[in-house]
Amino acid sequence: MKRIILVGKPNSGKSLLFNQLTGLRQKVANFPGVTVELKSGQFEDLEVIDFPGTYSLHSLSRDEEIAIDKLGEAVHDQQTSLVVCVLDATRLERSLVFALQAQALARKNNKSVVFVLNMIDEVHRYGESIDTEKLAAELGGPVYALSAKTLEGVAAFKQALSELGQQPPAIQQLDIDADDDQQLVQRAQSLSKRFGMKADLVLKSQNRIDKFMLNNVLGGVAFLAIMFFLFQSIFTWATPLMDGVEFLLAELAHVITSFTGEGIITDFLNDAIFGGIGSFLVFVPQIMVLTLIIGILEDSGYLARAALICHKPLSFFGLSGRSFIPYLSGHACAIPAIMAARTIESPRKRLITMMTIPLMSCSARLPVYALLVAVLIPENATFLGIFNLQGAAFFGLYLFGICMALIVSLVLNVFTKKDENLTDMPFILELPSYRLPHWKPLIHRVWNSGMQFIKRAAPIIFMVSLGIWVLGYFPVGADLEHSLLGKIGHIIEPIFAPLGLDWRYGVAILMSFLAREVFVGALGTLFGIAGADENISGLAANIQADGLSLGSGIGLLLFYVVALQCVATVAVLKGETGKSSIAWGLYAAYGILAYIIGVTAAQLIGV
Amino acid sequence: MTLWEMKAKQQALIHSLSAKLSPAVAGRLHEMGFNAGQAILCLRRSPLRGPLVVQVGDCVYSLEQEVAQAVLLEQSAAS
Ligand SMILES: Nc1nc2c(ncn2[C@@H]2O[C@H](COP(=O)(O)OP(=O)(O)OP(=O)(O)O)[C@@H](O)[C@H]2O)c(=O)[nH]1
Ligand SMILES: [Mg+2]
């Protein structure tokens, strides 16, 4: 199969174009450095590869070097028939520097190049246009103006591509010395002067918004307000949806068990299926709301500003402003966040960021937080008269995770030696234009986050619930306390006694070292078996009736903030740091730290 | 004068990049548009010696002190 590769400056819209060509769903967001790995897809009978964006073919960091090496290989490869340079039409000069370098590289390897002027919708919105024919003549390769967002010009490009992919256009000679970067930069400048839009137009509107967003006082206030809104809304917006899911599950359980009648099957359905899996499905809406808000922020262009605002404070902890973006997306899931840390130029700061990302409260912790907060805090209590106290407690938990991450960073920064081989790269960040989020990929992403969460967690929760139920149900007739599970549970009980928790919590906590969501499912099954026939979906009410002291509850919450209970995260940490000792070391260290913090809190408050 | 000493809304021409910069960083700055003779506009300064924001050509960048001090400007900066 012939192959075409998509290359260009960061944030020029390669991934969105790739998605339009292949029908795949690569991550698209409005800040430089979103794509960190090659992604391959298919357009008709051509293989298409989406590359990470780079400003140049000269690397700054090791990861950039890898990306650039891969680009070199791809251009060299026999199969590659065409290099597609994606340019941001509103930032022609910067895009051209890379495009000209890529063209030179392609020519050395006897490959032809076509140029895509993306974001042409924005050029038109400012009432400007670009003479693609003259530009094509200057560049010595076909130029297509299009918008991967509004799809204007995409059909024509697709048509051209299916022909060009098979039969690449002739390679034209250039009149400049491609090895001389000085000349190249000058040429980019003169071309953009001739063909590009007046730079001021785009930048003026961007700078106007920045006047507020980066204002010394207002900008800080806006930043805090946005963060508070983010965490508060996870709680408040999701509540009605969660109630809806809870209601549906209860109805479903009611209908189904009315067919199965009394007996072991009904018991199993009630306890293990609806009690175990059901009690965690309730939290899917929260995960979707979180993804929605993070998605809006990522696509708006604000995150680059937030990184800038945070740079100085984060430097104090040995981090970079760029750590902000992985930290934020770590609140959805640590795995992509750890990958995203690749864009941090300084290897040392990148390592510290990766090691502390697991302390961000990822969405898998949401079910645990939501359950325990609902148990501990009455629903209608308010804080300072306006904020919902449950919401404020959520915010507090997130804040605790962030503070822990900063403290651990500081410690790592002080106690790990600076590696002389790893030169520290300074903070240089391009600020993209503000844009309204692109709703279609956003909706898709939100939906996907929910489905992914179910797919990942449901099988393991099912297995654990099944195991717990079998061990807890037999011997028939014995109560939970005297079941097989009870006997095992009593052995481990002393470990959790300092937290003021009995063996049932102990079993749920131990199982949650497989995956933290398991805690809720396991507890749901345990309480399901114990209270044979009461309302299955109200796990929080069951726990309340059973009694959970404030000290134990808070200890348990803090334990879950800190513990790294996710095998997938360990695997990614191992891959990205290249050391399994770091990955498993963190797994153990955060587990122990979580236990110490949990016990301390429980003992201080009193169990 | 260096870029770091610029005040908000001030405009200047780039003279050169300091030789103290590592070649990789200097090369990157060139490609980002920090070339001799290029006009540069300081958009804003952050409190606590945080990164400053500059407009160069068709892009806006944020640079921290360490790099900004290595961008040398022509003497006469107009406001
Ligand atoms: N208005 C408009 N916005 C676009 C267009 N193409 C992409 N975008 C937006 O530009 C931003 C960057 O798009 P991406 O596809 O992530 O860019 P990329 O080139 O893959 O970026 P990196 O992976 O960081 O190199 C996103 O916010 C897109 O929604 C377009 O044609 N018009
Ligand atoms: Mg991309």
Side-chain angles (χ1 to χ4, degrees):
Chain A
M1 190 159 46
K2 294 217 166 137
R3 181 191 297 142
I4 55 178
I5 59 177
L6 295 181
V7 299
K9 152 189 183 300
N11 212 36
S12 57
K14 298 175 292 299
S15 300
L16 191 58
L17 181 63
F18 173 84
N19 291 350
Q20 306 293 13
L21 290 175
T22 61
L24 295 177
R25 309 274 174 185
Q26 265 284 77
K27 179 164 174 184
V28 168
N30 191 12
F31 55 87
V34 179
T35 308
V36 290
E37 274 195 312
L38 309 198
K39 173 82 182 177
S40 149
Q42 201 174 346
F43 167 70
E44 294 178 353
D45 50 359
L46 295 167
E47 185 189 8
V48 186
I49 300 188
D50 180 24
F51 268 80
T54 36
Y55 284 102
S56 102
L57 289 176
H58 310 289
S59 58
L60 261 189
S61 66
R62 216 171 359 185
D63 281 288
E64 236 173 58
E65 194 177 310
I66 295 169
I68 291 167
D69 283 350
K70 289 216 177 110
L71 186 99
E73 277 165 34
V75 174
H76 186 69
D77 196 311
Q78 280 293 319
Q79 273 193 336
T80 305
S81 65
L82 191 64
V83 177
V84 177
C85 273
V86 181
L87 290 86
D88 175 347
T90 63
R91 283 161 199 230
L92 206 52
E93 183 180 338
R94 222 39 55 218
S95 309
L96 276 169
V97 172
F98 179 79
L100 291 173
Q101 287 182 342
Q103 186 185 30
L105 177 70
R107 276 184 59 253
K108 272 194 206 126
N109 291 283
N110 254 327
K111 297 281 152 63
S112 34
V113 179
V114 299
F115 301 90
V116 166
L117 283 183
N118 194 24
M119 317 227 180
I120 202 71
D121 57 317
E122 296 204 353
V123 176
H124 292 167
R125 214 180 60 225
Y126 289 102
E128 301 237 337
S129 64
I130 293 176
D131 187 341
T132 50
E133 256 157 47
K134 285 222 182 80
L135 184 59
E138 285 288 337
L139 287 171
V143 175
Y144 300 89
L146 57 82
S147 161
K149 193 174 199 172
T150 63
L151 297 185
E152 169 183 359
V154 169
F157 176 65
K158 279 185 176 170
Q159 197 160 26
L161 199 58
S162 44
E163 288 157 23
L164 291 174
Q166 301 300 347
Q167 200 123 75
I171 301 163
Q172 297 192 11
Q173 290 306 310
L174 292 183
D175 48 3
I176 58 163
D177 176 9
D179 284 329
D180 183 352
D181 282 311
Q182 205 65 36
Q183 251 191 49
L184 225 144
V185 167
Q186 270 165 20
R187 186 163 157 76
Q189 203 163 24
S190 73
L191 282 178
S192 85
K193 271 219 185 78
R194 232 180 100 192
F195 295 98
M197 46 195 299
K198 285 174 219 82
D200 272 16
L201 279 177
V202 189
L203 295 181
K204 244 186 208 144
S205 78
Q206 158 177 350
N207 293 341
R208 209 167 26 231
I209 304 179
D210 275 338
K211 218 172 225 165
F212 174 75
M213 286 301 189
L214 296 179
N215 181 289
N216 291 351
V217 181
L218 294 176
V221 174
F223 175 76
L224 293 178
I226 289 172
M227 292 302 119
F228 184 75
F229 169 78
L230 166 69
F231 294 121
Q232 180 90 30
S233 58
I234 300 169
F235 181 77
T236 41
W237 289 8
T239 308
L241 291 168
M242 288 168 69
D243 290 346
V245 174
E246 195 162 348
F247 174 78
L248 284 178
L249 281 171
E251 287 299 303
L252 192 66
H254 191 73
V255 170
I256 291 182
T257 51
S258 72
F259 284 113
T260 52
E262 294 251 321
I264 185 165
I265 296 178
T266 306
D267 282 350
F268 174 72
L269 285 175
N270 264 344
D271 304 342
I273 301 299
F274 288 105
I277 298 186
S279 50
F280 116 95
L281 282 184
V282 171
F283 301 102
V284 171
Q286 242 172 359
I287 284 154
M288 291 165 74
V289 168
L290 175 72
T291 315
L292 175 74
I293 299 171
I294 291 187
I296 293 175
L297 278 178
E298 284 186 343
D299 226 9
S300 66
Y302 181 70
L303 289 193
R305 276 75 183 181
L308 155 65
I309 293 174
C310 292
H311 178 70
K312 202 68 196 182
L314 285 177
S315 315
F316 176 75
F317 297 97
L319 300 162
S320 153
R322 285 192 187 246
S323 309
F324 176 82
I325 294 173
Y327 266 8
L328 184 75
S329 64
H331 285 93
C333 177
I335 293 161
I338 291 170
M339 306 280 291
R342 283 190 192 184
T343 55
I344 300 171
E345 315 87 336
S346 147
R348 184 181 155 78
K349 291 177 175 171
R350 177 180 163 210
L351 183 65
I352 296 178
T353 307
M354 287 195 292
M355 288 174 76
T356 47
I357 283 174
L359 289 166
M360 301 296 130
S361 296
C362 70
S363 58
R365 285 181 177 90
L366 268 173
V368 183
Y369 290 1
L371 176 70
L372 293 174
V373 165
V375 169
L376 296 176
I377 299 173
E379 204 171 315
N380 296 321
T382 56
F383 166 67
L384 296 178
I386 38 171
F387 299 115
N388 179 299
L389 191 57
Q390 290 190 342
F394 256 73
F395 185 64
L397 289 170
Y398 281 107
L399 209 58
F400 182 71
I402 295 168
C403 291
M404 283 305 297
L406 293 179
I407 293 170
V408 173
S409 299
L410 196 62
V411 172
L412 286 173
N413 190 36
V414 172
F415 287 100
T416 58
K417 272 213 215 62
K418 287 210 165 85
D419 185 342
E420 295 302 329
N421 296 326
L422 304 177
T423 42
D424 257 11
M425 287 300 162
F427 176 81
I428 309 174
L429 183 66
E430 185 189 340
L431 301 183
S433 319
Y434 286 98
R435 290 201 185 92
L436 282 176
H438 194 182
W439 61 270
K440 223 166 90 188
L442 192 60
I443 301 281
H444 191 88
R445 201 169 140 198
V446 167
W447 178 251
N448 239 8
S449 69
M451 296 307 113
Q452 282 297 324
F453 178 69
I454 295 175
K455 246 193 248 157
R456 206 180 52 232
I460 182 163
I461 291 184
F462 177 75
M463 295 308 290
V464 170
S465 298
L466 182 69
I468 289 182
W469 185 81
V470 170
L471 289 176
Y473 195 77
F474 297 103
V476 183
D479 59 8
L480 187 58
E481 208 67 20
H482 297 99
S483 65
L484 292 173
L485 186 66
K487 294 206 179 86
I488 302 169
H490 282 296
I491 302 173
I492 56 159
E493 193 158 31
I495 307 176
F496 300 98
L499 276 161
L501 298 169
D502 64 35
W503 68 272
R504 292 168 301 174
Y505 293 94
V507 168
I509 293 173
L510 280 188
M511 294 322 270
S512 68
F513 273 90
L514 292 171
R516 44 175 76 90
E517 310 89 307
V518 168
F519 177 77
V520 173
L523 217 54
T525 310
L526 281 164
F527 277 85
I529 304 174
D533 42 27
E534 75 230 41
N535 173 12
I536 14 143
S537 49
L539 179 55
N542 283 349
I543 296 178
Q544 255 170 350
D546 187 70
L548 176 70
S549 78
L550 186 65
S552 302
I554 291 178
L556 200 52
L557 276 169
L558 298 186
F559 174 86
Y560 274 97
V561 174
V562 178
L564 197 176
Q565 297 162 309
C566 176
V567 179
T569 302
V570 174
V572 174
L573 274 172
K574 193 168 129 190
E576 292 291 289
T577 60
K579 291 204 183 85
S580 71
S581 59
I582 292 187
W584 288 107
L586 283 179
Y587 182 76
Y590 283 142
I592 295 167
L593 184 64
Y595 182 77
I596 295 173
I597 290 177
V599 168
T600 311
Q603 293 297 333
L604 284 180
I605 300 166
V607 290
Chain B
M1 183 171 133
T2 71
L3 178 55
W4 184 248
E5 289 150 53
M6 274 180 104
K7 292 190 190 67
K9 305 222 174 74
Q10 229 179 6
Q11 204 164 14
L13 298 179
I14 295 178
H15 177 268
S16 61
L17 298 181
S18 155
K20 275 180 280 177
L21 273 182
S22 78
V25 179
R28 174 56 48 90
L29 286 173
H30 273 303
E31 282 149 356
M32 288 179 135
F34 292 80
N35 300 304
Q38 169 75 49
I40 186 165
L41 171 65
C42 177
L43 290 173
R44 56 188 55 254
R45 309 277 326 209
S46 326
L48 307 169
R49 306 170 78 77
L52 48 62
V53 182
V54 292
Q55 178 177 330
V56 178
D58 52 5
C59 281
V60 174
Y61 300 107
S62 160
L63 304 180
E64 70 176 331
Q65 181 174 4
E66 195 189 329
V67 208
Q69 276 172 338
V71 178
L72 309 176
L73 304 176
E74 304 221 337
Q75 253 340 302
S76 55
S79 53

